[in-house]
Every structure is written in structure tokens, then in C-alpha cells.
Amino acid sequence: MIYCEKDDYYICKNNKKLYASSTINRKSKTGYKSKITCYTCEDCSNCEYKKNCIKGNNSKIPIEERTKKLQVSKLFHKKRKENLERITTPEGRKLRMNRSIQAEGAFAQVKQNMQFKRFLSRGNQKCTF
């Protein structure tokens, strides 16, 4: 979906607008707090893309009566965009390349020289020496 940052709405495949209807404050099992913005379509009646767009076949409400709802974490998208920009810079590419070489080399040594085919460690106690 296309996002219009200026007016804070999404545009679906049928050129209908999804406006922000509410915000939800969530707390995960690990204690991370996130702010989720809920967007609802203005009108989904007679939409040809409705069956592919709206998910959840176990709903008691028939698909003809449902409207598209979207939940988005704006902070998550902002951080993802920043990280993508960071890792696609020349310095980021260099760091990713070096990391892959270093990590793979260590595992290759353990697997080849020590004839270790599979790591069967689960939990912190088995991982410490």
C-alpha cells in the first residue's frame, strides 16, 4: 500500500483511503513497549480485491460486511528505513562483508577440523564451557 506521510493515510489497490482510526499501546513479553496506529478503510463495499486484501477466514462476520483494517508501528518503519540506509552505505557493505567472512570462517574450522557436523546445544548451561 502507498503511504501519504503528509496527510497520514494509506491508499489501497482499489484507490481507497485508509485513515488512522485509533492508537494502541502494546507491551511484549520481553517488556518492549510499542505504539501501534490502526488504519481503517473508508469504504470496502463492491471492491474486486477484497478477498485477497482482507485476511482471516475464521471470522464470524461475512467478508462482504468487513472492511480493511491495518495496524502499523511508525517507529518500527522509521528504524527499519534508517537501518537500511546505514547498511547500504559503502562502510555498511564493508562491515557486512567482513562479518560474514569472520563468522563463517570460525564455523568452518570447527566443522572441518574437529569433525563437528551439528551443534546440539540448547540453553545457557550447555553453551558455556
Side-chain angles (χ1 to χ4, degrees), residues 21 27 29 34 39-40 42-43 48 53-54 81 96 100 114 123 125:
S21 57
K27 187 176 179 182
K29 291 179 184 177
S34 60
Y39 292 88
T40 308
E42 56 185 13
D43 183 33
E48 58 189 74
C53 184
I54 296 176
K81 188 176 180 181
R96 281 188 295 146
S100 67
M114 300 175 75
Q125 289 180 334

PDB file of all heavy atoms in Angstrom, residues 21 27 29 34 39-40 42-43 48 53-54 81 96 100 114 123 125:
ATOM      1  N   SER A  21      -7.566   5.445  12.682  1.00  0.00           N
ATOM      2  CA  SER A  21      -8.779   5.436  13.486  1.00  0.00           C
ATOM      3  C   SER A  21      -8.483   5.401  14.986  1.00  0.00           C
ATOM      4  O   SER A  21      -9.246   5.940  15.773  1.00  0.00           O
ATOM      5  CB  SER A  21      -9.657   4.236  13.111  1.00  0.00           C
ATOM      6  OG  SER A  21      -8.930   3.038  13.268  1.00  0.00           O
ATOM      7  N   LYS A  27       2.613  -3.940  25.023  1.00  0.00           N
ATOM      8  CA  LYS A  27       3.807  -4.328  25.753  1.00  0.00           C
ATOM      9  C   LYS A  27       4.046  -5.806  25.484  1.00  0.00           C
ATOM     10  O   LYS A  27       3.175  -6.636  25.727  1.00  0.00           O
ATOM     11  CB  LYS A  27       3.625  -4.079  27.254  1.00  0.00           C
ATOM     12  CG  LYS A  27       4.869  -4.304  28.064  1.00  0.00           C
ATOM     13  CD  LYS A  27       4.628  -3.930  29.517  1.00  0.00           C
ATOM     14  CE  LYS A  27       5.864  -4.168  30.345  1.00  0.00           C
ATOM     15  NZ  LYS A  27       5.638  -3.857  31.753  1.00  0.00           N
ATOM     16  N   LYS A  29       6.154  -9.627  25.634  1.00  0.00           N
ATOM     17  CA  LYS A  29       6.568 -10.497  26.735  1.00  0.00           C
ATOM     18  C   LYS A  29       7.920 -10.071  27.297  1.00  0.00           C
ATOM     19  O   LYS A  29       8.201 -10.265  28.470  1.00  0.00           O
ATOM     20  CB  LYS A  29       6.659 -11.945  26.255  1.00  0.00           C
ATOM     21  CG  LYS A  29       5.334 -12.556  25.937  1.00  0.00           C
ATOM     22  CD  LYS A  29       5.511 -13.981  25.455  1.00  0.00           C
ATOM     23  CE  LYS A  29       4.190 -14.576  25.050  1.00  0.00           C
ATOM     24  NZ  LYS A  29       4.363 -15.941  24.509  1.00  0.00           N
ATOM     25  N   SER A  34       5.412  -0.630  22.549  1.00  0.00           N
ATOM     26  CA  SER A  34       5.282  -0.106  21.194  1.00  0.00           C
ATOM     27  C   SER A  34       3.946   0.603  21.037  1.00  0.00           C
ATOM     28  O   SER A  34       2.965   0.279  21.708  1.00  0.00           O
ATOM     29  CB  SER A  34       5.411  -1.226  20.162  1.00  0.00           C
ATOM     30  OG  SER A  34       4.405  -2.185  20.361  1.00  0.00           O
ATOM     31  N   TYR A  39      -5.357   1.749  11.114  1.00  0.00           N
ATOM     32  CA  TYR A  39      -5.955   2.427   9.961  1.00  0.00           C
ATOM     33  C   TYR A  39      -7.149   1.607   9.479  1.00  0.00           C
ATOM     34  O   TYR A  39      -7.098   0.387   9.442  1.00  0.00           O
ATOM     35  CB  TYR A  39      -4.937   2.550   8.824  1.00  0.00           C
ATOM     36  CG  TYR A  39      -3.802   3.488   9.135  1.00  0.00           C
ATOM     37  CD1 TYR A  39      -2.656   3.035   9.778  1.00  0.00           C
ATOM     38  CD2 TYR A  39      -3.871   4.822   8.789  1.00  0.00           C
ATOM     39  CE1 TYR A  39      -1.617   3.890  10.071  1.00  0.00           C
ATOM     40  CE2 TYR A  39      -2.832   5.688   9.081  1.00  0.00           C
ATOM     41  CZ  TYR A  39      -1.710   5.218   9.720  1.00  0.00           C
ATOM     42  OH  TYR A  39      -0.682   6.072  10.012  1.00  0.00           O
ATOM     43  N   THR A  40      -8.235   2.298   9.109  1.00  0.00           N
ATOM     44  CA  THR A  40      -9.439   1.645   8.627  1.00  0.00           C
ATOM     45  C   THR A  40      -9.841   2.253   7.292  1.00  0.00           C
ATOM     46  O   THR A  40      -9.762   3.466   7.108  1.00  0.00           O
ATOM     47  CB  THR A  40     -10.599   1.827   9.635  1.00  0.00           C
ATOM     48  OG1 THR A  40     -10.137   1.423  10.925  1.00  0.00           O
ATOM     49  CG2 THR A  40     -11.807   1.008   9.260  1.00  0.00           C
ATOM     50  N   GLU A  42     -12.115   3.618   4.275  1.00  0.00           N
ATOM     51  CA  GLU A  42     -13.330   4.433   4.269  1.00  0.00           C
ATOM     52  C   GLU A  42     -14.538   3.653   3.749  1.00  0.00           C
ATOM     53  O   GLU A  42     -15.641   3.779   4.258  1.00  0.00           O
ATOM     54  CB  GLU A  42     -13.112   5.698   3.433  1.00  0.00           C
ATOM     55  CG  GLU A  42     -12.661   5.431   2.023  1.00  0.00           C
ATOM     56  CD  GLU A  42     -12.324   6.686   1.249  1.00  0.00           C
ATOM     57  OE1 GLU A  42     -12.207   7.755   1.853  1.00  0.00           O
ATOM     58  OE2 GLU A  42     -12.194   6.562   0.029  1.00  0.00           O
ATOM     59  N   ASP A  43     -14.323   2.828   2.703  1.00  0.00           N
ATOM     60  CA  ASP A  43     -15.423   2.047   2.146  1.00  0.00           C
ATOM     61  C   ASP A  43     -14.860   0.894   1.331  1.00  0.00           C
ATOM     62  O   ASP A  43     -14.175   1.108   0.344  1.00  0.00           O
ATOM     63  CB  ASP A  43     -16.301   2.930   1.263  1.00  0.00           C
ATOM     64  CG  ASP A  43     -17.496   2.191   0.705  1.00  0.00           C
ATOM     65  OD1 ASP A  43     -18.011   1.295   1.398  1.00  0.00           O
ATOM     66  OD2 ASP A  43     -17.903   2.506  -0.426  1.00  0.00           O
ATOM     67  N   GLU A  48     -13.211  -5.266  -5.819  1.00  0.00           N
ATOM     68  CA  GLU A  48     -12.857  -6.506  -6.509  1.00  0.00           C
ATOM     69  C   GLU A  48     -11.653  -7.206  -5.884  1.00  0.00           C
ATOM     70  O   GLU A  48     -11.427  -8.383  -6.122  1.00  0.00           O
ATOM     71  CB  GLU A  48     -12.588  -6.229  -7.994  1.00  0.00           C
ATOM     72  CG  GLU A  48     -11.474  -5.217  -8.229  1.00  0.00           C
ATOM     73  CD  GLU A  48     -11.366  -4.795  -9.673  1.00  0.00           C
ATOM     74  OE1 GLU A  48     -12.242  -4.028 -10.110  1.00  0.00           O
ATOM     75  OE2 GLU A  48     -10.412  -5.239 -10.336  1.00  0.00           O
ATOM     76  N   CYS A  53      -7.355  -9.012  -0.216  1.00  0.00           N
ATOM     77  CA  CYS A  53      -6.887  -7.936   0.670  1.00  0.00           C
ATOM     78  C   CYS A  53      -7.175  -8.243   2.142  1.00  0.00           C
ATOM     79  O   CYS A  53      -6.301  -8.091   2.983  1.00  0.00           O
ATOM     80  CB  CYS A  53      -7.556  -6.629   0.259  1.00  0.00           C
ATOM     81  SG  CYS A  53      -7.006  -5.197   1.168  1.00  0.00           S
ATOM     82  N   ILE A  54      -8.384  -8.671   2.447  1.00  0.00           N
ATOM     83  CA  ILE A  54      -8.792  -8.913   3.830  1.00  0.00           C
ATOM     84  C   ILE A  54      -8.480 -10.356   4.186  1.00  0.00           C
ATOM     85  O   ILE A  54      -8.911 -11.284   3.514  1.00  0.00           O
ATOM     86  CB  ILE A  54     -10.290  -8.610   4.040  1.00  0.00           C
ATOM     87  CG1 ILE A  54     -10.535  -7.132   3.788  1.00  0.00           C
ATOM     88  CG2 ILE A  54     -10.737  -9.003   5.432  1.00  0.00           C
ATOM     89  CD1 ILE A  54     -11.981  -6.726   3.872  1.00  0.00           C
ATOM     90  N   LYS A  81      13.894   1.910   8.076  1.00  0.00           N
ATOM     91  CA  LYS A  81      14.387   2.765   6.995  1.00  0.00           C
ATOM     92  C   LYS A  81      15.789   3.290   7.312  1.00  0.00           C
ATOM     93  O   LYS A  81      16.679   3.291   6.447  1.00  0.00           O
ATOM     94  CB  LYS A  81      13.419   3.935   6.791  1.00  0.00           C
ATOM     95  CG  LYS A  81      13.710   4.777   5.590  1.00  0.00           C
ATOM     96  CD  LYS A  81      12.647   5.850   5.422  1.00  0.00           C
ATOM     97  CE  LYS A  81      12.929   6.713   4.225  1.00  0.00           C
ATOM     98  NZ  LYS A  81      11.923   7.772   4.070  1.00  0.00           N
ATOM     99  N   ARG A  96      29.437  -5.572   6.631  1.00  0.00           N
ATOM    100  CA  ARG A  96      28.671  -6.802   6.420  1.00  0.00           C
ATOM    101  C   ARG A  96      29.528  -7.883   5.775  1.00  0.00           C
ATOM    102  O   ARG A  96      29.452  -9.055   6.143  1.00  0.00           O
ATOM    103  CB  ARG A  96      27.455  -6.533   5.538  1.00  0.00           C
ATOM    104  CG  ARG A  96      26.307  -5.890   6.276  1.00  0.00           C
ATOM    105  CD  ARG A  96      25.066  -5.825   5.442  1.00  0.00           C
ATOM    106  NE  ARG A  96      25.276  -4.950   4.289  1.00  0.00           N
ATOM    107  CZ  ARG A  96      24.735  -5.121   3.097  1.00  0.00           C
ATOM    108  NH1 ARG A  96      23.946  -6.143   2.867  1.00  0.00           N
ATOM    109  NH2 ARG A  96      24.951  -4.279   2.121  1.00  0.00           N
ATOM    110  N   SER A 100      30.561 -11.500   7.611  1.00  0.00           N
ATOM    111  CA  SER A 100      30.227 -12.808   7.051  1.00  0.00           C
ATOM    112  C   SER A 100      31.473 -13.669   6.895  1.00  0.00           C
ATOM    113  O   SER A 100      31.433 -14.876   7.132  1.00  0.00           O
ATOM    114  CB  SER A 100      29.523 -12.651   5.706  1.00  0.00           C
ATOM    115  OG  SER A 100      30.416 -12.120   4.740  1.00  0.00           O
ATOM    116  N   MET A 114      37.431 -30.232  13.531  1.00  0.00           N
ATOM    117  CA  MET A 114      37.008 -31.002  14.695  1.00  0.00           C
ATOM    118  C   MET A 114      35.940 -32.037  14.319  1.00  0.00           C
ATOM    119  O   MET A 114      35.414 -32.715  15.191  1.00  0.00           O
ATOM    120  CB  MET A 114      36.488 -30.064  15.786  1.00  0.00           C
ATOM    121  CG  MET A 114      37.537 -29.069  16.267  1.00  0.00           C
ATOM    122  SD  MET A 114      36.887 -27.884  17.426  1.00  0.00           S
ATOM    123  CE  MET A 114      36.745 -28.885  18.876  1.00  0.00           C
ATOM    124  N   GLY A 123      20.007 -24.059  25.487  1.00  0.00           N
ATOM    125  CA  GLY A 123      20.038 -23.466  26.812  1.00  0.00           C
ATOM    126  C   GLY A 123      21.417 -22.911  27.154  1.00  0.00           C
ATOM    127  O   GLY A 123      22.419 -23.230  26.528  1.00  0.00           O
ATOM    128  N   GLN A 125      23.290 -23.348  29.935  1.00  0.00           N
ATOM    129  CA  GLN A 125      24.196 -24.258  30.619  1.00  0.00           C
ATOM    130  C   GLN A 125      25.024 -25.075  29.640  1.00  0.00           C
ATOM    131  O   GLN A 125      26.213 -25.286  29.840  1.00  0.00           O
ATOM    132  CB  GLN A 125      23.436 -25.206  31.537  1.00  0.00           C
ATOM    133  CG  GLN A 125      22.872 -24.511  32.764  1.00  0.00           C
ATOM    134  CD  GLN A 125      22.131 -25.503  33.649  1.00  0.00           C
ATOM    135  OE1 GLN A 125      21.638 -26.515  33.168  1.00  0.00           O
ATOM    136  NE2 GLN A 125      22.038 -25.182  34.929  1.00  0.00           N
TER     137      GLN A 125
END
